[in-house]
Amino acid sequence: MSELIQQEQHHVKLPEGSIGKQTTTLNLGPTHPATHGVFQNILEVDGERIVSAEQTVGYIHRAFEKIAERRPLYQITPLTDRLNYCSAPINNMGWHLTCEKLLGVKTPKRVDYLRVIIMELSRISDHLICNSIVGVDTGAFTGFLYVMQYRELIYEIYEEICGSRLTTNIGRIGGFERDFSNAAFEKIERFLKEYPVVLKEFENLFQRNRIFMERTMGTGGISAERALNYGFTGPNLRATGVDYDVRVTAPYSSYEDFEFEIPVGTTGDNYDRWLVRNQEMWQSLRIIEQAYRKIQEFKGEEATIYHADVPEYYLPKKEDVYTKMEALIWHFKIIMGEIDMPKGEVYHSVEGGNGEVGYYLISDGGRAPFRLHFRRPCFIYYQAYSEITQGAMLSDAIITLSSLNLIAGEMDA
Amino acid sequence: MVLTNEFITQKLTEKFGETITNIEEPYGLLTFEVPKEMNLKVMQFLHDEQDLQFRFLTDLCGVHYPDQTGRELAVVYHLHNMPENVRVRMKVFTSIQQPDVFTATKLYESANWQERETYDFYGINFVGHPNLKRILNVDEMDYFPMRKEYPLEDQTRIDKDDEMFGRGGSI
């Protein structure tokens, strides 16, 4: 058939000055609704097959690394919110952990467990968005709307703890700004009770759904070797069969106290990525349950600890600020960023929603970092997009785009 | 066998001798400096050597030290041996007049965009890079914004007529 068409094409007389180009150039993005973010792909397509793809990023570059060179530590936390805004608390915690490593702050166990709850909740909300968006792109809109209700509940929990929802600016160096309220614990309890039922239903909608399986299996696949070479981390790497998870290999925030599994895939295609994320949500639930139980076990004085005792970096109590001179001075110094950091060089990473989020901080002893570099996982693995979509159908490339969990804010910093 | 920092240091000095300098362990992470013409050789050695096998490039970024004459710009590589779970940090310094460093793209695909980013912000010219052009900034930009000679705006300046944002003008 195709030979016939080609033969026919030879008889078509092209107008004078035409170029004998066999492929079509197609702009996918930067504001295409299917890209779920601001990035452009210049595709060369032959019919519906992709011959090559060239990615353009940087549309929402906001120079965070440059800004950070003038900001004291606490003013950098809001910058990290705006990297991966689907799981901002993980970035916040990662940044605080980096500072704690540099400053030599040790956090109490209860703080670690509270942090673990927040980080796992944000992992669930991150994966929830990604997996349901993959559903939307394959034509299943219901799941997306259904799980939004539970993302809303997660955001309400954030709200109870820090007052904001999307760009959370949650936590402080050494712990949290305030203890979890009873309302927060009630909401966590409600989440633990109701969410497994919903997740099971969500899973049933997709996991063995014939249409979903045929759309996602065997598309957008990558081998473990190539994935490692491309710097994949997180669920995208685990979908290829490599069991690398920062929570296990370099435990932070007392992750070593919890029992959970690292789900891995085999083929690294869109379906495996979906399954890995789905399983990770179940594992996150397990971790939250354990952490919640551990927190309930603290008795007496211990059950009220929500920050480490580091007056140099942790804001004093408000009533002290209003009544005591020293507290007022410390408050002022911390807020105005008059606290010098020790000299040093730190790399710290946490397992973010879509991979290893790293912070490379060089301090020359001043109030602001000399250099701060964010390792942004999706900036690194988006490079592989042209390789994994080569020869694929255009409609599959769209699913690949969303199943890689690309967040424009993180990519462009 | 456990892959300790001492072992890696020993392996490196055995192979490269005096060229590996400034060996430190800030916060437990082995850090060393390599002359810029040696960066690929050392990286290849770390990648291939049976006992080392640093096969994962975690991070690559630039740093500008304006006070170090002749070695103002640095490229910092964070390499990772995943099975053994050991990281090392490798630094390469270069002068700002001739900021040429060999590209790591032949070893790691992931270096491609990270080197473009480093070029974009620091102007480090990665020799042999397949597509060295700006990535996050606009193509027309004619300076390298992360260099220290471009300070951020002084937030207390009053000469700017910026009434919409509460500065200058009638204040």
Side-chain angles (χ1 to χ4, degrees):
Chain A
M1 183 71 187
S2 60
E3 282 160 22
L4 263 179
I5 294 171
Q6 261 180 5
Q7 272 179 12
E8 220 165 88
Q9 276 174 345
H10 280 298
H11 298 299
V12 177
K13 244 193 138 35
L14 292 169
E16 199 67 29
S18 299
I19 41 169
K21 198 177 168 212
Q22 297 289 315
T23 54
T24 317
T25 310
L26 187 72
N27 265 306
L28 181 66
T31 52
H32 193 280
T35 58
H36 308 293
V38 202
F39 26 84
Q40 184 193 25
N41 267 291
I42 303 164
L43 304 174
E44 280 297 324
V45 286
D46 180 9
E48 267 202 76
R49 294 255 170 227
I50 293 172
V51 180
S52 72
E54 198 197 333
Q55 309 96 301
T56 316
V57 298
Y59 285 95
I60 57 165
H61 175 59
R62 292 146 295 172
F64 283 163
E65 291 176 3
K66 187 76 184 176
I67 296 172
E69 287 178 9
R70 261 188 80 122
R71 294 271 186 275
L73 299 181
Y74 275 124
Q75 292 180 23
I76 294 169
T77 326
L79 300 179
T80 64
D81 286 337
R82 286 148 180 83
L83 292 172
N84 184 346
Y85 39 73
C86 283
S87 51
I90 301 185
N91 300 341
N92 297 160
M93 302 285 170
W95 169 241
H96 292 315
L97 286 160
T98 313
C99 297
E100 284 161 15
K101 197 169 177 180
L102 179 76
L103 306 170
V105 175
K106 269 203 69 75
T107 47
K109 279 281 173 193
R110 188 166 185 271
V111 171
D112 287 354
Y113 298 155
L114 291 173
R115 281 184 170 173
V116 165
I117 290 186
I118 293 300
M119 284 193 276
E120 292 309 314
L121 281 173
S122 38
R123 192 178 320 283
I124 290 177
S125 80
D126 189 281
H127 287 358
L128 210 51
I129 296 296
C130 181
N131 269 4
S132 54
I133 286 289
V134 174
V136 170
D137 287 345
T138 52
F141 201 71
T142 324
F144 175 69
L145 288 181
Y146 190 37
V147 297
M148 274 302 128
Q149 209 177 336
Y150 285 86
R151 191 182 75 148
E152 174 64 23
L153 181 55
I154 294 173
Y155 280 7
E156 278 177 28
I157 296 169
Y158 298 164
E159 227 174 338
E160 290 293 340
I161 293 156
C162 69
S164 48
R165 297 158 57 85
L166 189 76
T167 49
T168 48
N169 192 12
I170 202 169
R172 296 285 181 262
I173 293 168
F176 284 91
E177 54 272 44
R178 62 178 82 86
D179 199 3
F180 284 24
S181 63
N182 282 335
F185 279 123
E186 273 161 29
K187 281 187 171 148
I188 293 168
E189 233 170 275
R190 201 184 120 209
F191 182 81
L192 285 174
K193 207 169 93 218
E194 291 175 14
Y195 182 65
V197 185
V198 173
L199 184 56
K200 186 73 201 143
E201 266 182 287
F202 180 69
E203 193 180 288
N204 289 346
L205 276 175
F206 292 100
Q207 197 164 341
R208 306 297 295 169
N209 180 326
R210 179 81 183 269
I211 303 167
F212 182 73
M213 285 168 80
E214 296 210 345
R215 282 302 302 281
T216 52
M217 281 172 107
T219 59
I222 185 164
S223 70
E225 196 191 344
R226 291 303 287 163
L228 284 170
N229 205 260
Y230 266 119
F232 275 48
T233 43
N236 294 338
L237 178 65
R238 290 192 282 276
T240 67
V242 181
D243 60 343
Y244 175 69
D245 190 317
V246 188
R247 289 176 294 174
V248 178
T249 54
Y252 51 91
S253 198
S254 296
Y255 264 109
E256 66 275 15
D257 296 358
F258 298 94
E259 201 161 301
F260 60 102
E261 282 159 27
I262 304 296
V264 288
T266 48
T267 54
D269 61 5
N270 292 334
Y271 186 61
D272 271 17
R273 282 199 276 271
W274 192 92
L275 289 181
V276 165
R277 287 207 178 85
N278 187 52
Q279 269 313 310
E280 273 183 22
M281 284 196 269
W282 287 109
Q283 298 301 327
S284 293
L285 267 173
R286 255 176 92 185
I287 299 172
I288 298 171
E289 256 166 42
Q290 292 172 44
Y292 184 64
R293 233 181 300 123
K294 280 179 202 283
I295 286 166
Q296 301 300 318
E297 279 165 16
F298 287 109
K299 290 279 173 289
E301 187 80 332
E302 271 201 319
T304 57
I305 295 172
Y306 60 93
H307 65 88
D309 187 26
V310 276
E312 303 93 317
Y313 310 108
Y314 187 87
L315 283 178
K317 276 190 200 142
K318 262 288 179 307
E319 52 262 42
D320 290 347
V321 175
Y322 291 138
T323 52
K324 293 191 182 102
M325 169 92 142
E326 291 78 14
L328 179 65
I329 293 171
W330 272 114
H331 182 94
F332 183 80
K333 284 185 91 156
I334 293 170
I335 292 288
M336 298 310 288
E338 299 296 318
I339 312 287
D340 284 348
M341 294 183 254
K343 261 187 191 176
E345 246 183 281
V346 186
Y347 177 81
H348 187 78
S349 59
V350 293
E351 183 69 28
N354 47 7
E356 179 179 335
V357 183
Y359 300 85
Y360 176 43
L361 169 65
I362 304 177
S363 155
D364 62 347
R367 60 197 281 267
F370 181 75
R371 167 84 166 110
L372 177 62
H373 178 72
F374 302 112
R375 182 197 195 268
R376 310 177 313 276
C378 70
F379 175 76
I380 294 170
Y381 64 64
Y382 187 39
Q383 298 176 62
Y385 185 71
S386 67
E387 184 175 309
I388 55 186
T389 51
Q390 206 161 46
M393 303 288 275
L394 179 57
S395 50
D396 292 340
I398 301 278
I399 303 173
T400 310
L401 200 59
S402 44
S403 112
L404 281 171
N405 198 3
L406 298 164
I407 313 284
E410 182 177 273
M411 200 144 39
D412 295 349
Chain B
M1 183 190 44
V2 194
L3 195 58
T4 56
N5 285 353
E6 291 79 46
F7 179 75
I8 302 165
T9 319
Q10 191 200 328
K11 270 274 183 195
L12 281 170
T13 42
E14 245 171 52
K15 173 89 180 164
F16 298 102
E18 296 295 301
T19 50
I20 309 281
T21 48
N22 288 339
I23 302 168
E24 290 170 349
E25 284 181 39
Y27 298 87
L29 186 62
L30 180 67
T31 306
F32 53 86
E33 194 197 317
V34 170
K36 69 171 183 175
E37 56 279 356
M38 293 279 287
N39 70 335
L40 276 192
K41 285 196 181 111
V42 178
M43 239 188 294
Q44 184 86 52
F45 178 71
L46 287 166
H47 185 277
D48 291 343
E49 180 67 18
Q50 193 61 39
D51 301 330
L52 298 171
Q53 307 227 12
F54 286 88
R55 296 261 162 99
F56 191 80
L57 177 70
T58 305
D59 194 31
L60 189 161
C61 69
V63 189
H64 184 203
Y65 296 96
D67 301 334
Q68 300 179 6
T69 324
R71 33 189 274 137
E72 289 94 348
L73 292 171
V75 183
V76 184
Y77 305 85
H78 283 86
L79 300 165
H80 195 178
N81 176 334
M82 276 187 179
E84 298 281 340
N85 192 29
V86 180
R87 292 178 198 272
V88 290
R89 182 188 292 142
M90 189 177 112
K91 288 182 183 179
V92 171
F93 284 88
T94 173
S95 76
I96 206 158
Q97 278 79 35
Q98 205 197 351
D100 299 333
V101 174
F102 292 119
T103 173
T105 42
K106 289 285 183 295
L107 266 173
Y108 305 101
E109 289 283 359
S110 59
N112 190 324
W113 281 18
Q114 298 188 68
E115 285 182 353
R116 276 178 68 185
E117 193 192 12
T118 311
Y119 162 74
D120 194 353
F121 289 108
Y122 288 94
I124 293 166
N125 177 32
F126 288 96
V127 180
H129 190 284
N131 185 25
L132 195 67
K133 56 180 191 189
R134 290 189 182 269
I135 185 160
L136 292 179
N137 290 311
V138 287
D139 291 339
E140 296 79 37
M141 201 177 224
D142 56 358
Y143 57 97
F144 302 109
M146 283 287 281
R147 289 187 178 175
K148 292 282 183 188
E149 65 253 39
Y150 303 106
L152 280 159
E153 189 185 56
D154 179 7
Q155 288 168 330
T156 55
R157 67 184 275 196
I158 46 163
D159 58 309
K160 193 172 166 187
D161 187 18
D162 203 3
E163 234 174 328
M164 292 291 280
F165 296 95
R167 290 189 292 202
S170 54
I171 302 172

